[in-house]
Amino acid sequence: MKVSIRKVEKKEQEQVLLECVSMTKEFEDIREYALMKGNQLTAYLDGKAYQILLGDVLYFEAVSEHVFAYMEEEVYHIKKRLYEVEQEYSGQKFVRASKSMVINLMQVESFRPALNGRFYARMKNGEDIIISRQYAKAVKQKLLGEAI
Amino acid sequence: MSIKEFLERQLSNMLMIQAGVGLAMGVLGSIYEPEARFGYKAFFAPLIYAFFCTLPGIVGYSAKELTMKQMLIRELINFLLVELTMLSLLYVQGALKSVDRALALAVAVLAVYLVTLLAGWLRDGRVAQDMNEQLKKIKE
């Protein structure tokens, strides 16, 4: 089987293209692996590695050099920097809410104003996350861009 | 918050304070000195008061992200400084002629301050509403 790699300019253009005569078991495995890699990430809890679904992550938080993924029930440690999370998952509706947090827009219930140009994002688990004034504009632009 | 964003917000606040001071001057003037007559200089008074009331807003600036508690404390300090600035300016001009008038002016400053906060809150409320509508769209 030939393997080709073609460079693209933007993250959103990245894709895996399978060219096959028929969808064999091997191709099906590759397809499933590629789909899984895009929607899952490796996270750690009590020293064990887990594959967690990106869509289930409420938000990522950086706490003194470590980044944590907050799910409904568990909090996992992930081996990425917050800016990497922001860049890699911006196509999956994740957006920076403050210097230490990246939130999943699909897990936001609603927004409401806080003080002095800040906003609260009410997450699906009932938690309120502060969107700082610095990033409020970016969140709004992201929402507008996604909604169009 | 960048210094540019901070200055933009201060300018917006200054214009709102100016309108509020003009209104407060009209209301209190008609109560305490209904017969008073002014020259053209009086038109500049709200602008001058608004400018001096905006200066203490510098306590609200921080390059770092503030917690909600820190923000509230700075807001309170800002308000106290605005009261002090306004009452000092009015004292210098001889407008604090009695305790009840001083109290009325202090309450007027509080009212203008609250109106400015409320205007900011309503503006942010509209932004939040837009964001909620857009959020609904992307979820659909």
Side-chain angles (χ1 to χ4, degrees):
Chain A
M1 189 188 299
K2 277 203 316 189
V3 175
S4 317
I5 296 172
R6 187 163 61 92
K7 292 225 170 188
V8 289
E9 295 292 316
K10 294 176 184 169
K11 186 88 189 155
E12 303 87 70
Q13 294 173 320
E14 285 182 345
Q15 62 171 333
V16 175
L17 177 66
L18 298 176
E19 291 182 323
C20 56
V21 176
S22 65
M23 202 63 180
T24 59
K25 172 81 173 67
E26 287 76 19
F27 274 104
E28 190 56 50
D29 287 348
I30 295 168
R31 178 180 169 273
E32 276 186 15
Y33 180 77
L35 284 172
M36 186 194 77
K37 284 307 272 186
N39 296 316
Q40 293 191 339
L41 81 155
T42 308
Y44 301 86
L45 182 66
D46 298 331
K48 287 182 186 168
Y50 297 89
Q51 288 295 313
I52 59 171
L53 281 173
L54 257 182
D56 290 343
V57 176
L58 294 163
Y59 58 89
F60 293 98
E61 185 179 26
V63 182
S64 55
E65 303 291 309
H66 296 284
V67 175
F68 297 92
Y70 288 74
M71 317 281 281
E72 192 97 30
E73 303 272 315
E74 309 283 358
V75 179
Y76 293 89
H77 177 229
I78 63 159
K79 291 181 178 173
K80 286 178 193 281
R81 308 300 292 260
L82 199 64
Y83 74 89
E84 292 174 325
V85 167
E86 184 188 9
Q87 285 170 3
E88 283 182 35
Y89 306 136
S90 68
Q92 278 134 313
K93 299 182 176 61
F94 281 84
V95 64
R96 182 73 79 115
S98 63
K99 278 184 181 164
S100 62
M101 281 191 174
V102 170
I103 59 169
N104 182 357
L105 289 175
M106 298 307 283
Q107 292 283 354
V108 175
E109 280 283 331
S110 62
F111 297 98
R112 66 178 202 279
L115 198 64
N116 279 341
R118 294 167 155 209
F119 294 88
Y120 283 115
R122 168 66 55 91
M123 307 306 290
K124 280 185 179 168
N125 66 346
E127 207 174 332
D128 284 328
I129 303 292
I130 279 276
I131 298 172
S132 72
R133 187 173 161 73
Q134 188 182 346
Y135 293 100
K137 205 181 276 180
V139 173
K140 199 183 163 197
Q141 281 170 352
K142 173 93 178 165
L143 281 165
L144 188 64
E146 297 283 351
I148 289 169
Chain B
M1 192 192 315
S2 71
I3 191 80
K4 188 182 167 223
E5 283 176 319
F6 175 76
L7 291 175
E8 277 173 5
R9 196 159 184 97
Q10 292 305 306
L11 182 66
S12 162
N13 283 347
M14 192 176 111
L15 295 174
M16 271 188 281
I17 293 169
Q18 188 183 341
V21 169
L23 187 67
M25 281 173 71
V27 172
L28 292 177
S30 60
I31 294 169
Y32 289 105
E33 292 184 17
E35 303 303 322
R37 294 288 176 268
F38 304 101
Y40 286 110
K41 280 181 186 171
F43 286 103
F44 295 104
L47 178 67
I48 293 164
Y49 288 137
F51 173 74
F52 282 106
C53 286
T54 309
L55 291 181
I58 195 75
V59 297
Y61 176 73
S62 172
K64 288 182 186 173
E65 280 174 16
L66 301 173
T67 62
M68 197 46 96
K69 193 179 168 187
Q70 289 170 327
M71 188 73 94
L72 285 171
I73 290 170
R74 287 184 187 221
E75 201 65 51
L76 182 66
I77 294 169
N78 185 16
F79 167 67
L80 293 174
L81 288 173
V82 168
E83 280 279 11
L84 190 67
T85 306
M86 273 305 286
L87 294 178
S88 303
L89 283 172
L90 292 165
Y91 177 76
V92 169
Q93 290 177 328
L96 302 185
K97 290 175 183 165
S98 61
V99 175
D100 69 322
R101 192 176 291 196
L103 278 173
L105 287 166
V107 170
V109 173
L110 172 65
V112 172
Y113 196 87
L114 290 178
V115 166
T116 309
L117 278 184
L118 182 69
W121 176 268
L122 291 174
R123 187 178 50 207
D124 291 343
R126 278 199 304 275
V127 174
Q129 199 179 341
D130 285 349
M131 287 161 76
N132 283 327
E133 280 167 16
Q134 285 154 16
L135 182 69
K136 203 174 158 192
K137 278 185 194 169
I138 65 165
K139 283 185 176 175
E140 283 165 359

